């Protein structure tokens, strides 16, 4: 359910595991052992995670952008940048390394891309190739949009904090 959110977080540079078909206990174990933030739409799993001392964020799983804003702001991240050198492979979470143009296996890249693109990155695990194409423009515009929503969410939070301080007085 959260596969798209996981892929986007990887592209933004966050180390993100996405494991299908795993039982709750195993997932909680991995989350705690590796000090990960457990993202879930499952209320009971979220409650278990918190009870066991793990970090968790409960998502709605309806609107991926809303979920991204929620997980980022809940983790104290109010601004993100796009830097392909820090991105992770959207398929497998592997790190990306820059490839010399001469080392790129040309048969793995569409012919049209080879003509205008000279910078390529490769996943160290699955060898998936990445380059600055149309999909990067879409990612940049998504990031602009998310940053606006994150800024608004930060402002809302600071207003709520002021309100709660007022209540104490
Ligand atoms: Zn990969």
């Amino acid at each position: 359910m959260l596969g798209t959110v996981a892929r986007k977080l990887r592209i933004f540079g966050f180390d993100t595991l996405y494991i299908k078909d795993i039982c709750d206990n195993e997932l909680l174990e991995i989350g705690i052992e590796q000090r990960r933030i457990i993202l879930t739409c499952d209320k009971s799993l979220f409650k278990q995670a918190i009870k066991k001392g793990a970090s968790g964020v409960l998502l709605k799983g309806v609107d991926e952008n809303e979920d991204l804003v929620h997980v980022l702001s809940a983790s104290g991240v109010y601004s993100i940048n796009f830097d392909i050198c820090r991105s992770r492979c959207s398929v497998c979470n592997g790190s990306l390394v820059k490839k010399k143009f001469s080392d790129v296996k040309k048969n793995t890249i569409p012919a049209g891309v080879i003509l205008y693109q000279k910078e390529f990155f490769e996943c160290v695990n699955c060898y998936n190739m990445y380059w600055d194409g149309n999909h990067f423009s879409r990612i940049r515009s998504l990031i602009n949009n998310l940053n606006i929503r994150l800024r608004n969410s930060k402002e809302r939070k600071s207003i709520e904090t002021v309100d709660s301080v007022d209540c104490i007085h």
Side-chain angles (χ1 to χ4, degrees), residues 30-121:
I30 293 173
I32 292 167
E33 252 178 44
Q34 300 185 11
R35 294 171 162 228
R36 291 181 176 275
I37 300 170
I38 296 168
L39 309 181
T40 180
C41 299
D42 180 339
K43 254 187 198 166
S44 81
L45 175 62
F46 173 73
K47 278 184 188 166
Q48 275 186 71
I50 301 303
K51 206 170 158 187
K52 292 195 172 185
S55 303
V57 179
L58 181 63
L59 299 175
K60 288 182 183 162
V62 178
D63 174 337
E64 64 178 72
N65 289 354
E66 189 185 317
D67 281 343
L68 284 166
V69 169
H70 186 53
V71 66
L72 290 167
S73 60
S75 311
V77 177
Y78 292 101
S79 172
I80 49 173
N81 292 314
F82 179 53
D83 177 1
I84 182 70
C85 300
R86 291 182 50 229
S87 282
R88 288 182 165 258
C89 174
S90 62
V91 180
C92 79
N93 195 39
S95 303
L96 302 185
V97 288
K98 199 171 178 176
K99 292 290 279 186
K100 273 192 204 155
F101 186 69
S102 54
D103 293 341
V104 171
K105 292 185 194 94
K106 309 295 186 290
N107 59 351
T108 61
I109 310 287
V113 172
I114 291 285
L115 288 175
Y116 68 87
Q117 196 57 248
K118 297 294 169 225
E119 205 172 64
F120 293 90
F121 296 84

Side-chain angles (χ1 to χ4, degrees), residues 124-138:
V124 296
N125 285 342
C126 73
Y127 308 112
N128 206 22
M129 296 297 295
Y130 294 85
W131 59 88
D132 196 342
N134 289 340
H135 51 300
F136 277 23
S137 313
R138 283 196 295 274

